[in-house]
Amino acid sequence: MKFSQLLCPTLKDSPREAEIVSHQLMLRAGLSQKVASGLYSYLPMGLRVIKKIEAIVREELDAANCQEVALPLITPASLWQESGRWAKYGPELLRFKDRHDNEFCYGPTFEEAITDMFRQSVQSYKALPVTLYQIQNKFRDEIRPRFGLMRSREFIMKDAYSFHLTEDCLDITYKAMEAAYHRIFKRCGLDAVCVQADSGAIGGDVSAEFMIRADTGEDEVLICQGCQLTANKEVIEKTNHCPKCNSTEFKSVRGIEVGHIFKLGTLYSSALKASVLSDLGKPTIVQMGCYGIGVSRTMAAAIEQHHDEKGIKWPIAIAPYTVTIIVTNMRDEAMVETGLALYETLKHQKIDVILDDRSVSAGVKFKDAELIGFPIQLVIGKQFSETGTIEYKERDTQDTINVSKDAIVGHLKTKLETSN
RNA sequence: CGGGGCGUAGCGCAGCCUGGUAGCGCACCAGUUUUGGGAACUGGGGGUCGCUGGUUCAAGUCCAGUCGCCCCGACCA
C-alpha cells in the first residue's frame, strides 16, 4: 500500500469524547470512527488489525479441530423462548418484530442458535465430539457503552460451542480450548492470564476468563500469594479465601477480559432437547461447552498494553503493516526510486509493507509512523544521500541502526525471523 | 436509571456572566519558497452556534423544553 492512497485520517488532537488511551489512539491513528454511542466503524487500518487477529484465531481453532460456521445475526424469539432466556434476558437483548409481526432479536450470544443447528444435524454419538465456531458481529444493548471498542454495543466476537456425549469428553475439549486461547493471545503478542471466574448470565458451572493485563482494565484480578492462583474478584468475594490453598493474602492487578470459556453441561441441550443416541441406543442429552473471544476488544486491549506517549506500538503479529518505508524527501529522485524499489522487493517477499510516499514534510511522516505504530520503520533520508545507507528503526525499543541499501532486506528478514 | 459534565467549521477551543448578526489554532484548497521530528509566507473555502419554542427591535449569548455525547455508579463478554 502507498500511504498517499490510503484512507487514514490521523489526528493531532484527541477528540474530547475519548478518555482512555486505547480509545484516544484508535481515533487519532485513524483506525476507527464512532457512528453512535457504542457503534463504531473500522477504517482500513483498523480493519487490517482486526483481520490479523481473526486469522490467528482461525488458525489456532482450526488446529484444535474446530469447524467454522456462520449463523444469522438475527435469531427468532422462538429459540430463545425454548431455552427460557427470552423472559430471563433483560433489555440488553435488542428485540424487534418483522413486518409479519414475528419477534426476533439481534444475537448477543448464540447458544440457542448453535444448539438448533446441532440438533438438526446430529443424531449419533459417532459424530461427537464436535466444536463449531463463528466470528461475526454481536449486539448487546449495553446500559452504558464506554471506552470506545472496550465496551461497545456492536462488537466482533468469536464464539465457539462444543458438543459431547460425556462430561469427561467435555473436559478434554475445555482444556484444549484453554490451551488454544493461551496460544492465540501469545501469538497476538499479548500478556494474558487465565483466571477462575463466575459464570454469570451464560450459565453453567465451570468457567475461566482470559485477562489482558493493563492498568486501565475494567476488571480486578486477584493473585493468591500462597499458590499464585489467579481468580476474578467475584470468585474470591464469595468465599473470602483461595479455593485451592485457603490463603487469604491476595495481590490485585487490573485486567481486560478478552476471553471467557465455560462448561455449560446440559443447560441448553436439555432445554432445546439436543440429544444423540449412545452406543447403547439410548437417547442422551449432550454436554456442551462455550468459548468466546472479544476480537474488537482484543484490539483495544492490545493498544492499552502496547503504547507510549507517541502512539501505538503494535506487536508484529497484529500490526496493520509490519514495515513502513519513509522517504523523507519526495523531491529527491534517488530516494524516491530507492523507496519504490525496496517497497516492491518487500511486497514480493510477502512482507506487509506500506510506502510513505506522501508529499509532506519528514516530520509529519515520522509522527504518523510513531502514532500508528508500525513495528519497523525503514527511513530513506539524508544519511542515504550521504552514505547510501537506510535507517532501520524499531518502534517499540526506538533502536536505530544504519544498514547499507544492499543489506537492508536481509537485515529485515533476519530480524523478523528472530522475533517470531 | 441516579449523580456530574459537554454540544460553536474535520479536530481542539474562545465568545455566553454583561444580547448587537461568529472568531482562534490545527487540518483543508491555490501559489511561492521549503524537505530529518507535526515548515514559512500570501491568498482562499468551509458554520441555519445540537434541535424546538419563548422573551426581545435584536439571541451563540437570556428562559423553557427536547435530543445527542462523555465520565462516575448500578449492570455486564
Side-chain angles (χ1 to χ4, degrees), chain A residues 306-332:
Chain A
H306 299 282
H307 70 273
D308 61 17
E309 64 290 341
K310 293 178 177 176
I312 304 168
K313 303 191 289 190
W314 288 116
I316 287 176
I318 61 173
Y321 290 92
T322 310
V323 179
T324 179
I325 299 171
I326 297 177
V327 176
T328 61
N329 187 346
M330 290 303 290
R331 287 183 178 180
D332 185 314

PDB file of all heavy atoms in Angstrom, chain A residues 306-332:
ATOM      1  N   HIS A 306       0.210  -1.904  24.776  1.00  0.00           N
ATOM      2  CA  HIS A 306       1.383  -1.547  23.977  1.00  0.00           C
ATOM      3  C   HIS A 306       1.280  -0.140  23.399  1.00  0.00           C
ATOM      4  O   HIS A 306       0.852   0.041  22.265  1.00  0.00           O
ATOM      5  CB  HIS A 306       1.563  -2.544  22.828  1.00  0.00           C
ATOM      6  CG  HIS A 306       1.791  -3.944  23.278  1.00  0.00           C
ATOM      7  ND1 HIS A 306       2.999  -4.382  23.748  1.00  0.00           N
ATOM      8  CD2 HIS A 306       0.955  -5.000  23.356  1.00  0.00           C
ATOM      9  CE1 HIS A 306       2.912  -5.662  24.090  1.00  0.00           C
ATOM     10  NE2 HIS A 306       1.672  -6.057  23.869  1.00  0.00           N
ATOM     11  N   HIS A 307       1.652   0.833  24.191  1.00  0.00           N
ATOM     12  CA  HIS A 307       1.651   2.205  23.689  1.00  0.00           C
ATOM     13  C   HIS A 307       2.663   3.022  24.482  1.00  0.00           C
ATOM     14  O   HIS A 307       3.128   2.589  25.540  1.00  0.00           O
ATOM     15  CB  HIS A 307       0.257   2.836  23.836  1.00  0.00           C
ATOM     16  CG  HIS A 307      -0.108   3.112  25.263  1.00  0.00           C
ATOM     17  ND1 HIS A 307      -0.714   2.180  26.082  1.00  0.00           N
ATOM     18  CD2 HIS A 307       0.106   4.206  26.046  1.00  0.00           C
ATOM     19  CE1 HIS A 307      -0.878   2.692  27.282  1.00  0.00           C
ATOM     20  NE2 HIS A 307      -0.381   3.916  27.308  1.00  0.00           N
ATOM     21  N   ASP A 308       2.994   4.187  23.967  1.00  0.00           N
ATOM     22  CA  ASP A 308       3.771   5.146  24.756  1.00  0.00           C
ATOM     23  C   ASP A 308       3.232   6.524  24.436  1.00  0.00           C
ATOM     24  O   ASP A 308       2.174   6.644  23.807  1.00  0.00           O
ATOM     25  CB  ASP A 308       5.283   5.023  24.478  1.00  0.00           C
ATOM     26  CG  ASP A 308       5.627   5.302  23.020  1.00  0.00           C
ATOM     27  OD1 ASP A 308       4.779   5.886  22.302  1.00  0.00           O
ATOM     28  OD2 ASP A 308       6.737   4.947  22.600  1.00  0.00           O
ATOM     29  N   GLU A 309       3.912   7.572  24.860  1.00  0.00           N
ATOM     30  CA  GLU A 309       3.379   8.919  24.673  1.00  0.00           C
ATOM     31  C   GLU A 309       3.289   9.310  23.201  1.00  0.00           C
ATOM     32  O   GLU A 309       2.534  10.202  22.837  1.00  0.00           O
ATOM     33  CB  GLU A 309       4.195   9.945  25.470  1.00  0.00           C
ATOM     34  CG  GLU A 309       5.650  10.124  25.065  1.00  0.00           C
ATOM     35  CD  GLU A 309       6.535   8.925  25.398  1.00  0.00           C
ATOM     36  OE1 GLU A 309       6.135   8.093  26.251  1.00  0.00           O
ATOM     37  OE2 GLU A 309       7.610   8.788  24.797  1.00  0.00           O
ATOM     38  N   LYS A 310       4.007   8.589  22.337  1.00  0.00           N
ATOM     39  CA  LYS A 310       3.964   8.928  20.915  1.00  0.00           C
ATOM     40  C   LYS A 310       2.835   8.229  20.156  1.00  0.00           C
ATOM     41  O   LYS A 310       2.453   8.676  19.091  1.00  0.00           O
ATOM     42  CB  LYS A 310       5.280   8.539  20.252  1.00  0.00           C
ATOM     43  CG  LYS A 310       6.467   9.348  20.725  1.00  0.00           C
ATOM     44  CD  LYS A 310       7.720   8.835  20.047  1.00  0.00           C
ATOM     45  CE  LYS A 310       8.928   9.661  20.446  1.00  0.00           C
ATOM     46  NZ  LYS A 310      10.158   9.107  19.853  1.00  0.00           N
ATOM     47  N   GLY A 311       2.397   7.102  20.696  1.00  0.00           N
ATOM     48  CA  GLY A 311       1.344   6.379  19.991  1.00  0.00           C
ATOM     49  C   GLY A 311       1.355   4.893  20.281  1.00  0.00           C
ATOM     50  O   GLY A 311       1.812   4.452  21.340  1.00  0.00           O
ATOM     51  N   ILE A 312       0.853   4.145  19.297  1.00  0.00           N
ATOM     52  CA  ILE A 312       0.697   2.698  19.462  1.00  0.00           C
ATOM     53  C   ILE A 312       2.015   1.994  19.135  1.00  0.00           C
ATOM     54  O   ILE A 312       2.772   2.455  18.289  1.00  0.00           O
ATOM     55  CB  ILE A 312      -0.416   2.184  18.513  1.00  0.00           C
ATOM     56  CG1 ILE A 312      -1.722   2.945  18.763  1.00  0.00           C
ATOM     57  CG2 ILE A 312      -0.625   0.675  18.692  1.00  0.00           C
ATOM     58  CD1 ILE A 312      -2.791   2.714  17.698  1.00  0.00           C
ATOM     59  N   LYS A 313       2.253   0.893  19.810  1.00  0.00           N
ATOM     60  CA  LYS A 313       3.408   0.048  19.485  1.00  0.00           C
ATOM     61  C   LYS A 313       2.877  -1.348  19.179  1.00  0.00           C
ATOM     62  O   LYS A 313       2.876  -2.220  20.047  1.00  0.00           O
ATOM     63  CB  LYS A 313       4.376  -0.006  20.675  1.00  0.00           C
ATOM     64  CG  LYS A 313       4.861   1.371  21.126  1.00  0.00           C
ATOM     65  CD  LYS A 313       6.010   1.281  22.105  1.00  0.00           C
ATOM     66  CE  LYS A 313       5.575   0.771  23.459  1.00  0.00           C
ATOM     67  NZ  LYS A 313       6.663   0.906  24.474  1.00  0.00           N
ATOM     68  N   TRP A 314       2.389  -1.553  17.953  1.00  0.00           N
ATOM     69  CA  TRP A 314       1.756  -2.839  17.616  1.00  0.00           C
ATOM     70  C   TRP A 314       2.737  -3.996  17.730  1.00  0.00           C
ATOM     71  O   TRP A 314       3.846  -3.919  17.202  1.00  0.00           O
ATOM     72  CB  TRP A 314       1.206  -2.821  16.191  1.00  0.00           C
ATOM     73  CG  TRP A 314      -0.013  -1.984  16.001  1.00  0.00           C
ATOM     74  CD1 TRP A 314      -0.116  -0.872  15.228  1.00  0.00           C
ATOM     75  CD2 TRP A 314      -1.305  -2.191  16.578  1.00  0.00           C
ATOM     76  NE1 TRP A 314      -1.391  -0.362  15.293  1.00  0.00           N
ATOM     77  CE2 TRP A 314      -2.141  -1.164  16.113  1.00  0.00           C
ATOM     78  CE3 TRP A 314      -1.842  -3.143  17.446  1.00  0.00           C
ATOM     79  CZ2 TRP A 314      -3.479  -1.051  16.490  1.00  0.00           C
ATOM     80  CZ3 TRP A 314      -3.176  -3.025  17.809  1.00  0.00           C
ATOM     81  CH2 TRP A 314      -3.975  -1.990  17.328  1.00  0.00           C
ATOM     82  N   PRO A 315       2.299  -5.078  18.349  1.00  0.00           N
ATOM     83  CA  PRO A 315       3.067  -6.314  18.216  1.00  0.00           C
ATOM     84  C   PRO A 315       3.078  -6.685  16.717  1.00  0.00           C
ATOM     85  O   PRO A 315       2.081  -6.440  16.024  1.00  0.00           O
ATOM     86  CB  PRO A 315       2.247  -7.332  19.018  1.00  0.00           C
ATOM     87  CG  PRO A 315       1.401  -6.519  19.959  1.00  0.00           C
ATOM     88  CD  PRO A 315       1.130  -5.232  19.228  1.00  0.00           C
ATOM     89  N   ILE A 316       4.155  -7.249  16.240  1.00  0.00           N
ATOM     90  CA  ILE A 316       4.280  -7.528  14.805  1.00  0.00           C
ATOM     91  C   ILE A 316       3.112  -8.340  14.265  1.00  0.00           C
ATOM     92  O   ILE A 316       2.586  -8.054  13.187  1.00  0.00           O
ATOM     93  CB  ILE A 316       5.618  -8.237  14.514  1.00  0.00           C
ATOM     94  CG1 ILE A 316       6.756  -7.217  14.653  1.00  0.00           C
ATOM     95  CG2 ILE A 316       5.638  -8.850  13.110  1.00  0.00           C
ATOM     96  CD1 ILE A 316       8.141  -7.809  14.487  1.00  0.00           C
ATOM     97  N   ALA A 317       2.678  -9.337  15.024  1.00  0.00           N
ATOM     98  CA  ALA A 317       1.653 -10.260  14.515  1.00  0.00           C
ATOM     99  C   ALA A 317       0.321  -9.591  14.200  1.00  0.00           C
ATOM    100  O   ALA A 317      -0.442 -10.092  13.379  1.00  0.00           O
ATOM    101  CB  ALA A 317       1.431 -11.390  15.512  1.00  0.00           C
ATOM    102  N   ILE A 318       0.022  -8.479  14.832  1.00  0.00           N
ATOM    103  CA  ILE A 318      -1.285  -7.857  14.597  1.00  0.00           C
ATOM    104  C   ILE A 318      -1.176  -6.419  14.086  1.00  0.00           C
ATOM    105  O   ILE A 318      -2.163  -5.699  14.011  1.00  0.00           O
ATOM    106  CB  ILE A 318      -2.170  -7.900  15.865  1.00  0.00           C
ATOM    107  CG1 ILE A 318      -1.527  -7.143  17.024  1.00  0.00           C
ATOM    108  CG2 ILE A 318      -2.454  -9.339  16.278  1.00  0.00           C
ATOM    109  CD1 ILE A 318      -2.454  -7.010  18.236  1.00  0.00           C
ATOM    110  N   ALA A 319       0.028  -6.016  13.709  1.00  0.00           N
ATOM    111  CA  ALA A 319       0.216  -4.659  13.186  1.00  0.00           C
ATOM    112  C   ALA A 319      -0.481  -4.521  11.840  1.00  0.00           C
ATOM    113  O   ALA A 319      -0.519  -5.468  11.059  1.00  0.00           O
ATOM    114  CB  ALA A 319       1.703  -4.377  13.024  1.00  0.00           C
ATOM    115  N   PRO A 320      -1.039  -3.352  11.547  1.00  0.00           N
ATOM    116  CA  PRO A 320      -1.709  -3.167  10.257  1.00  0.00           C
ATOM    117  C   PRO A 320      -0.735  -3.395   9.090  1.00  0.00           C
ATOM    118  O   PRO A 320      -1.096  -4.002   8.078  1.00  0.00           O
ATOM    119  CB  PRO A 320      -2.215  -1.731  10.293  1.00  0.00           C
ATOM    120  CG  PRO A 320      -1.512  -1.059  11.426  1.00  0.00           C
ATOM    121  CD  PRO A 320      -1.126  -2.143  12.387  1.00  0.00           C
ATOM    122  N   TYR A 321       0.486  -2.896   9.247  1.00  0.00           N
ATOM    123  CA  TYR A 321       1.572  -3.228   8.334  1.00  0.00           C
ATOM    124  C   TYR A 321       2.809  -3.465   9.196  1.00  0.00           C
ATOM    125  O   TYR A 321       3.001  -2.763  10.197  1.00  0.00           O
ATOM    126  CB  TYR A 321       1.850  -2.092   7.334  1.00  0.00           C
ATOM    127  CG  TYR A 321       0.746  -1.919   6.320  1.00  0.00           C
ATOM    128  CD1 TYR A 321      -0.297  -1.024   6.552  1.00  0.00           C
ATOM    129  CD2 TYR A 321       0.725  -2.665   5.150  1.00  0.00           C
ATOM    130  CE1 TYR A 321      -1.338  -0.881   5.656  1.00  0.00           C
ATOM    131  CE2 TYR A 321      -0.316  -2.537   4.236  1.00  0.00           C
ATOM    132  CZ  TYR A 321      -1.335  -1.641   4.494  1.00  0.00           C
ATOM    133  OH  TYR A 321      -2.371  -1.517   3.597  1.00  0.00           O
ATOM    134  N   THR A 322       3.617  -4.401   8.791  1.00  0.00           N
ATOM    135  CA  THR A 322       4.801  -4.726   9.588  1.00  0.00           C
ATOM    136  C   THR A 322       5.864  -3.641   9.448  1.00  0.00           C
ATOM    137  O   THR A 322       6.530  -3.274  10.409  1.00  0.00           O
ATOM    138  CB  THR A 322       5.394  -6.067   9.116  1.00  0.00           C
ATOM    139  OG1 THR A 322       4.343  -7.028   9.070  1.00  0.00           O
ATOM    140  CG2 THR A 322       6.487  -6.549  10.049  1.00  0.00           C
ATOM    141  N   VAL A 323       5.990  -3.168   8.206  1.00  0.00           N
ATOM    142  CA  VAL A 323       7.082  -2.248   7.887  1.00  0.00           C
ATOM    143  C   VAL A 323       6.529  -1.011   7.197  1.00  0.00           C
ATOM    144  O   VAL A 323       5.653  -1.120   6.347  1.00  0.00           O
ATOM    145  CB  VAL A 323       8.077  -2.921   6.913  1.00  0.00           C
ATOM    146  CG1 VAL A 323       9.207  -1.969   6.551  1.00  0.00           C
ATOM    147  CG2 VAL A 323       8.631  -4.214   7.511  1.00  0.00           C
ATOM    148  N   THR A 324       7.047   0.157   7.560  1.00  0.00           N
ATOM    149  CA  THR A 324       6.758   1.353   6.780  1.00  0.00           C
ATOM    150  C   THR A 324       8.065   1.885   6.214  1.00  0.00           C
ATOM    151  O   THR A 324       9.079   1.922   6.916  1.00  0.00           O
ATOM    152  CB  THR A 324       6.045   2.445   7.613  1.00  0.00           C
ATOM    153  OG1 THR A 324       5.823   3.596   6.776  1.00  0.00           O
ATOM    154  CG2 THR A 324       6.843   2.875   8.826  1.00  0.00           C
ATOM    155  N   ILE A 325       8.028   2.220   4.941  1.00  0.00           N
ATOM    156  CA  ILE A 325       9.209   2.810   4.318  1.00  0.00           C
ATOM    157  C   ILE A 325       8.960   4.313   4.241  1.00  0.00           C
ATOM    158  O   ILE A 325       7.990   4.763   3.624  1.00  0.00           O
ATOM    159  CB  ILE A 325       9.432   2.262   2.896  1.00  0.00           C
ATOM    160  CG1 ILE A 325       9.665   0.745   2.956  1.00  0.00           C
ATOM    161  CG2 ILE A 325      10.611   2.966   2.229  1.00  0.00           C
ATOM    162  CD1 ILE A 325       9.668   0.083   1.591  1.00  0.00           C
ATOM    163  N   ILE A 326       9.801   5.070   4.906  1.00  0.00           N
ATOM    164  CA  ILE A 326       9.627   6.519   4.917  1.00  0.00           C
ATOM    165  C   ILE A 326      10.645   7.168   3.989  1.00  0.00           C
ATOM    166  O   ILE A 326      11.855   7.084   4.227  1.00  0.00           O
ATOM    167  CB  ILE A 326       9.800   7.073   6.349  1.00  0.00           C
ATOM    168  CG1 ILE A 326       8.701   6.489   7.264  1.00  0.00           C
ATOM    169  CG2 ILE A 326       9.755   8.597   6.356  1.00  0.00           C
ATOM    170  CD1 ILE A 326       8.819   6.915   8.707  1.00  0.00           C
ATOM    171  N   VAL A 327      10.139   7.776   2.928  1.00  0.00           N
ATOM    172  CA  VAL A 327      11.003   8.549   2.040  1.00  0.00           C
ATOM    173  C   VAL A 327      10.894   9.990   2.526  1.00  0.00           C
ATOM    174  O   VAL A 327       9.838  10.605   2.411  1.00  0.00           O
ATOM    175  CB  VAL A 327      10.540   8.428   0.574  1.00  0.00           C
ATOM    176  CG1 VAL A 327      11.385   9.307  -0.327  1.00  0.00           C
ATOM    177  CG2 VAL A 327      10.609   6.974   0.121  1.00  0.00           C
ATOM    178  N   THR A 328      11.964  10.516   3.080  1.00  0.00           N
ATOM    179  CA  THR A 328      11.845  11.822   3.743  1.00  0.00           C
ATOM    180  C   THR A 328      11.677  12.970   2.765  1.00  0.00           C
ATOM    181  O   THR A 328      11.065  13.976   3.094  1.00  0.00           O
ATOM    182  CB  THR A 328      13.057  12.124   4.641  1.00  0.00           C
ATOM    183  OG1 THR A 328      14.238  12.151   3.836  1.00  0.00           O
ATOM    184  CG2 THR A 328      13.195  11.084   5.741  1.00  0.00           C
ATOM    185  N   ASN A 329      12.248  12.845   1.587  1.00  0.00           N
ATOM    186  CA  ASN A 329      12.149  13.934   0.624  1.00  0.00           C
ATOM    187  C   ASN A 329      11.687  13.414  -0.732  1.00  0.00           C
ATOM    188  O   ASN A 329      12.448  12.809  -1.470  1.00  0.00           O
ATOM    189  CB  ASN A 329      13.510  14.623   0.474  1.00  0.00           C
ATOM    190  CG  ASN A 329      13.416  15.876  -0.383  1.00  0.00           C
ATOM    191  OD1 ASN A 329      12.419  16.106  -1.069  1.00  0.00           O
ATOM    192  ND2 ASN A 329      14.455  16.689  -0.337  1.00  0.00           N
ATOM    193  N   MET A 330      10.419  13.693  -1.042  1.00  0.00           N
ATOM    194  CA  MET A 330       9.838  13.175  -2.282  1.00  0.00           C
ATOM    195  C   MET A 330      10.348  13.903  -3.521  1.00  0.00           C
ATOM    196  O   MET A 330       9.994  13.557  -4.643  1.00  0.00           O
ATOM    197  CB  MET A 330       8.310  13.246  -2.220  1.00  0.00           C
ATOM    198  CG  MET A 330       7.683  12.267  -1.242  1.00  0.00           C
ATOM    199  SD  MET A 330       8.104  10.538  -1.563  1.00  0.00           S
ATOM    200  CE  MET A 330       7.202  10.228  -3.090  1.00  0.00           C
ATOM    201  N   ARG A 331      11.162  14.944  -3.327  1.00  0.00           N
ATOM    202  CA  ARG A 331      11.729  15.633  -4.491  1.00  0.00           C
ATOM    203  C   ARG A 331      13.081  15.068  -4.875  1.00  0.00           C
ATOM    204  O   ARG A 331      13.659  15.458  -5.871  1.00  0.00           O
ATOM    205  CB  ARG A 331      11.909  17.107  -4.180  1.00  0.00           C
ATOM    206  CG  ARG A 331      10.601  17.862  -4.142  1.00  0.00           C
ATOM    207  CD  ARG A 331      10.940  19.288  -3.903  1.00  0.00           C
ATOM    208  NE  ARG A 331       9.752  20.118  -3.891  1.00  0.00           N
ATOM    209  CZ  ARG A 331       9.802  21.427  -3.699  1.00  0.00           C
ATOM    210  NH1 ARG A 331      10.961  22.011  -3.511  1.00  0.00           N
ATOM    211  NH2 ARG A 331       8.695  22.128  -3.702  1.00  0.00           N
ATOM    212  N   ASP A 332      13.579  14.205  -4.005  1.00  0.00           N
ATOM    213  CA  ASP A 332      14.873  13.607  -4.270  1.00  0.00           C
ATOM    214  C   ASP A 332      14.651  12.307  -5.042  1.00  0.00           C
ATOM    215  O   ASP A 332      14.177  11.321  -4.492  1.00  0.00           O
ATOM    216  CB  ASP A 332      15.584  13.335  -2.937  1.00  0.00           C
ATOM    217  CG  ASP A 332      16.993  12.819  -3.141  1.00  0.00           C
ATOM    218  OD1 ASP A 332      17.178  11.910  -3.981  1.00  0.00           O
ATOM    219  OD2 ASP A 332      17.902  13.325  -2.462  1.00  0.00           O
TER     220      ASP A 332
END
